[in-house]
Every structure is written in C-alpha cells, then in structure tokens.
Amino acid sequence: MKKIQINEIKNHINEKVKLGGFTESIRNGKAMAFLVLKDITGRVQITVNKAEDPSLAEIIAELTPDSVISVTGSVRKNENVRLGGLEMIPDEIIIESLAAPLPIQREEIPASKKKPSIPRSDPDARQNYRWIDLRTDKNQLMFKAQTELVSAMREFLLRQSFTEIHTPKLIAAASESGAEVFKVDYFGREAYLAQSPQFYKQMAMAAGFERIFETGPVFRAEKSYTSKHTTEFTGFDLEISYIESHRELMNLEEDLLIYALQKVKDKFGDEIETLFGVPLVVPQKPFPEVKLSELYAALKEEYGYIAPETGDLTTAAEQLSFEWVKKHYAHEFLFITDYSAEKRAFYHKRDASGVPQGYDLIWKGVEITTGALREHRYEILKRQAEEKGLNEDVKFYLEFFRCGCPPHGGFGLGIDRLTMLLTGLHISDAMFLFRSPKRLTP
C-alpha cells in the first residue's frame, strides 16, 4: 500500500491508509494506548484497543518517543479527538527505527502541579544535535517559509526574463580583496572559497546575458560572533544590464521583496505570528531613503548618537536606524545611500563628485543588501582597483571588460538573514546548519 501524508487523511475517512512518521507522544494505559504520530504535514492520533489486538500492545510497549514507525489502518471520525476530530485505528504497526533517549530538550516544558519545569537545552547543545532539534513545528515551519520566499523571488525574476546561473565557488583569486577569505589547497596550489558570485555575475553581463540571478553558498572568513554573522550562508544575487542609475536597482528590489513577502504572508503569515510571535508586515512602496550623513545627523539630534568618522554604517547606527525609520515613516525598511568611496568596493561606479552609486538596504535594523551600479569602463575600473592596491589580484576580472561590456548593476540578499528577520531568531537558529569560527560540525 502506498504511504500518504497525514494532512491527506481527511480525504480518506473510513478508508484504509498507510502512514509514516515519528512517535511524538505515547500514552500506554491498561486497556487503551494512544500514540500521536507526526510527519512534516501534521499529526494524527493512533488509537489501540489492547485487548482486541495483543500483538499491537506488545509493539507499543517497545516504543520510545521519536521512534519512527509505519502504520496501516482505517481513518475514523471521532469528535473527542483534539487533532482534527480524526483518529486512525491500526491493523499493523512496524517499528522502522527505535529511538534512544533524546540527548537534548528541544523546548521548555512548563511546571505542573506534580512536576517541575524542564528547561530547554542551551543553543550549543541543540546545535550539536541539530537533526533532532529540527523536528519541531517551529523549525519545520521556518524552512517551509524560506522555501516559499526563495521560490517567490525566483518566480518574480523568471517572469521578467532573468536567467539563472551557477558560478564556481572555488576560485583562483580572492573575490574582492586579499582579506576575509578561506584558502584551500587545490592540487598543490592556492585557491579560495568565493566571498560572493560578484565577479562572475559581471562576467555574465560581459557575455551578453543581460539579466541573471543565482542562489548559492557564500563564504566569509570573518571572526565575528554576533546574532547576524556566519562564515557560510546562502546568497540570492542578481545582476542586470542597461541601467542608468542605482535607483533602478532599488525599485527592482522593492518590487521583488514586496512580491516575495506577500507570498510568504499569504501562505504562512498566521503560523509565523502564532509560533514565533513575529507579525509579517508586507512593505509598501516607496521604501524610505536617506543619505548616510543625513542619517547620522538625525541619529545625533534625536538619540544623541555620535558616529565615528568611518564613512560607513556602524552596527549601532544600523540598529538605531530601525527606531528612526519606524518613527518617521512607519516602515521596517530603509535605503541608505552616499557612502564614502573608501568604504565601498572598487567596482562601484562613482558620480562626478566621486560618490559611489550604490546603497545598503536595512530591514528591522539589520543590513540585508548591498547594491550598486557597476563601473563597466575598463580604464576607470582598472584605476579604481589600483587605488585599493588590487590591480594584480583582480587581473583576471578586469579582462571581462576589455572586449565590450554593457552598463550594469546588481545586488545580493542573504537568505539566512531574511529567514532570521522573518522569525526573530539568532542567525544560528535560522539556518539548517550553522557555521562560525568555532563550529564546523555537524
């Protein structure tokens, strides 16, 4: 008999079906036994009359929480059952995998009159047994929402004639500079893990692809221990030709995020708010925009924040910008423009005053995007690379521009940061498997 998923049983009342899943709970009484079976789609109660089928009673006596079983039986209506008013009366239970005692406590169990509370295991312990931690409703909902988010972004771009590409992650030279990259041995010579697909996205522009995007791993050798940093994450990057201003990119990103977040809200918004306590607000256009210097002036005047002379956005200002944009615009997103050329990548195009034509996008006080118009003119690009001492490191990249390249620009989004902000979690809990300077397993 072909197995079905639990959310399908409502279509099979008074029919025999086969289910599979984890035993979430076991109540084994003298006459009756009740199991709650969980799969990725839901739960169902398995009801066993032990006197009527002693062989099933023997199997239930062996079961432990989180054991995996296959169950064949009939679906019945029962108004007394809390799980959708349906139960399954089994003919056969097969133990596929008997679970050992769980090494972590996934969620806190509140105290009762008879028992004290059981605290949740600490984050490191849960990361050590991540495959067990991931069995919860919250974690599984998170990745369902992430799937919908990425699918919606891909759908949005495909409708606008974008082509999906997949670029190499093993490269011969550092992506943007000699710092913050992982070095690897490549058959006796030095190679690097890519910081971003940036150079190859631009190569696609030089190849005449005009509109491309990519979803793939990104590596950053940063010794950062914050709620938003990780040494490996999944990026969603795009590049587009024949644009004249970085504001065209900003407009595209607004539309992309509105479309994707609306899709997530329609499908999972209520569940996200129930399980994570985070309402999903779909933003409206236009997103607020401010120059970096103007933001710093406002933060000083309104919050007493004095920024160091960096020409860049500090973490404290990034966080405080959320309070400012909520207060003045009732918005969660904020575009910040006019960074110093010293703090922007050499390939960002500059205006006549030398100001890079790019932006950062901040959501809930966290940077999720750096976007920019690119410098596509070979001699100017070469000079800007030389200014930063990178002319030799990026020699192969500069070749992309010698034989014709259209004006272009692009941006990148971190999928894991978006997931983190959707759910209000630490970055380590918002990823399937987290990587940091201290964590390389599981």
Side-chain angles (χ1 to χ4, degrees):
M1 180 179 293
K2 184 180 179 181
K3 172 185 168 295
I4 67 169
Q5 292 187 301
I6 289 173
N7 68 343
E8 299 176 72
I9 63 172
K10 60 184 179 294
N11 302 319
H12 296 276
I13 296 170
N14 296 324
E15 296 177 13
K16 186 172 287 190
V17 300
K18 182 178 181 179
L19 302 174
F22 291 88
T23 51
E24 185 172 78
S25 68
I26 305 165
R27 286 187 293 140
N28 194 8
K30 289 184 178 180
M32 301 291 293
F34 304 94
L35 312 177
V36 174
L37 184 70
K38 178 184 183 298
D39 71 9
I40 191 68
T41 69
R43 294 170 174 78
V44 65
Q45 176 176 297
I46 311 296
T47 304
V48 178
N49 186 318
K50 297 169 73 173
E52 291 181 0
D53 200 330
S55 63
L56 292 181
E58 292 176 7
I59 293 171
I60 290 168
E62 295 181 48
L63 282 177
T64 55
D66 276 46
S67 291
V68 177
I69 60 175
S70 294
V71 185
T72 303
S74 299
V75 180
R76 297 281 189 264
K77 284 187 176 181
N78 185 339
E79 294 180 358
N80 296 319
V81 175
R82 295 179 181 178
L83 296 174
L86 297 174
E87 64 183 346
M88 184 180 188
I89 310 300
D91 299 321
E92 180 183 52
I93 298 176
I94 298 172
I95 300 176
E96 306 287 3
S97 176
L98 196 64
L102 299 185
I104 57 169
Q105 180 63 40
R106 291 174 292 221
E107 299 288 353
E108 178 186 0
I109 298 179
S112 65
K113 291 182 180 179
K114 296 182 179 181
K115 295 181 180 180
S117 65
I118 300 176
R120 189 184 191 192
S121 295
D122 66 71
D124 272 344
R126 287 185 285 107
Q127 285 293 327
N128 289 339
Y129 294 94
R130 183 62 166 162
W131 64 96
I132 298 173
D133 191 42
L134 287 170
R135 293 174 188 171
T136 65
D137 286 350
K138 288 176 70 173
N139 279 325
Q140 292 176 355
L141 171 62
M142 176 170 62
F143 288 102
K144 291 175 185 177
Q146 184 184 92
T147 299
E148 185 68 17
L149 180 75
V150 176
S151 174
M153 291 196 295
R154 177 179 280 113
E155 179 182 86
F156 177 87
L157 295 179
L158 291 175
R159 287 180 176 179
Q160 298 196 40
S161 302
F162 277 72
T163 299
E164 185 170 9
I165 64 171
H166 302 283
T167 63
K169 305 309 166 196
L170 281 168
I171 57 177
S175 304
E176 298 176 18
S177 70
E180 299 175 351
V181 292
F182 289 109
K183 296 179 182 179
V184 298
D185 177 74
Y186 192 74
F187 301 104
R189 57 193 175 108
E190 202 169 73
Y192 305 88
L193 296 180
Q195 284 178 306
S196 81
Q198 182 59 46
F199 290 173
Y200 294 114
K201 287 195 302 175
Q202 292 186 258
M203 189 187 84
M205 299 300 96
F209 280 32
E210 296 191 11
R211 296 177 172 220
I212 62 94
F213 72 95
E214 173 177 11
T215 304
V218 177
F219 300 91
R220 299 284 168 89
E222 299 174 333
K223 289 186 178 180
S224 297
Y225 302 93
T226 74
S227 63
K228 64 180 184 179
H229 282 95
T230 175
T231 55
E232 180 184 354
F233 61 91
T234 301
F236 190 98
D237 285 82
L238 65 83
E239 205 78 11
I240 182 170
S241 289
Y242 301 108
I243 59 173
E244 298 178 356
S245 167
H246 58 290
R247 284 185 172 77
E248 293 178 65
L249 295 170
M250 294 159 71
N251 182 66
L252 174 63
E253 186 164 14
E254 286 175 330
D255 291 340
L256 173 71
L257 287 170
I258 289 169
Y259 183 84
L261 290 174
Q262 186 66 61
K263 286 277 191 176
V264 176
K265 183 178 179 67
D266 290 345
K267 195 166 184 178
F268 298 112
D270 291 343
E271 289 181 75
I272 290 171
E273 186 165 4
T274 298
L275 291 183
F276 292 99
V278 180
L280 203 174
V281 178
V282 178
Q284 294 184 336
K285 292 181 69 172
F287 292 9
E289 178 187 335
V290 65
K291 293 180 180 179
L292 180 63
S293 60
E294 293 172 353
L295 175 65
Y296 275 143
L299 296 183
K300 180 180 180 181
E301 180 181 346
E302 297 183 37
Y303 304 103
Y305 178 76
I306 299 176
E309 296 293 328
T310 65
D312 204 354
L313 186 67
T314 64
T315 299
E318 185 179 281
Q319 295 168 347
L320 202 53
S321 72
F322 185 36
E323 298 303 317
W324 182 81
V325 77
K326 284 192 297 183
K327 175 182 176 182
H328 290 279
Y329 297 94
H331 213 285
E332 294 184 343
F333 289 83
L334 177 64
F335 283 123
I336 303 176
T337 65
D338 290 54
Y339 286 82
S340 100
E342 182 184 353
K343 297 298 181 180
R344 298 281 96 170
F346 74 92
Y347 49 78
H348 286 200
K349 194 170 188 177
R350 303 171 190 173
D351 66 10
S353 302
V355 177
Q357 300 300 283
Y359 65 91
D360 281 350
L361 178 58
I362 313 299
W363 184 24
K364 299 182 182 179
V366 176
E367 179 219 313
I368 59 169
T369 293
T370 294
L373 200 63
R374 316 301 187 193
E375 181 53 72
H376 67 286
R377 296 165 294 182
Y378 174 76
E379 292 298 338
I380 298 175
L381 185 61
K382 184 173 180 288
R383 184 175 69 243
Q384 289 181 182
E386 289 171 350
E387 286 176 9
K388 293 180 180 286
L390 296 173
N391 48 312
E392 288 301 317
D393 289 342
V394 299
K395 195 172 182 180
F396 83 99
Y397 160 77
L398 293 174
E399 288 297 309
F400 301 160
F401 302 88
R402 288 175 62 89
C403 298
C405 184
H408 62 276
F411 59 82
L413 289 154
I415 297 301
D416 306 288
R417 276 198 187 176
L418 292 176
T419 306
M420 175 188 83
L421 293 166
L422 275 175
T423 56
L425 297 176
H426 188 287
I427 190 69
S428 61
D429 288 324
M431 303 179 68
F432 186 75
L433 286 172
F434 174 60
R435 290 290 178 259
S436 76
K438 293 184 177 179
R439 179 168 290 281
L440 197 55
T441 58

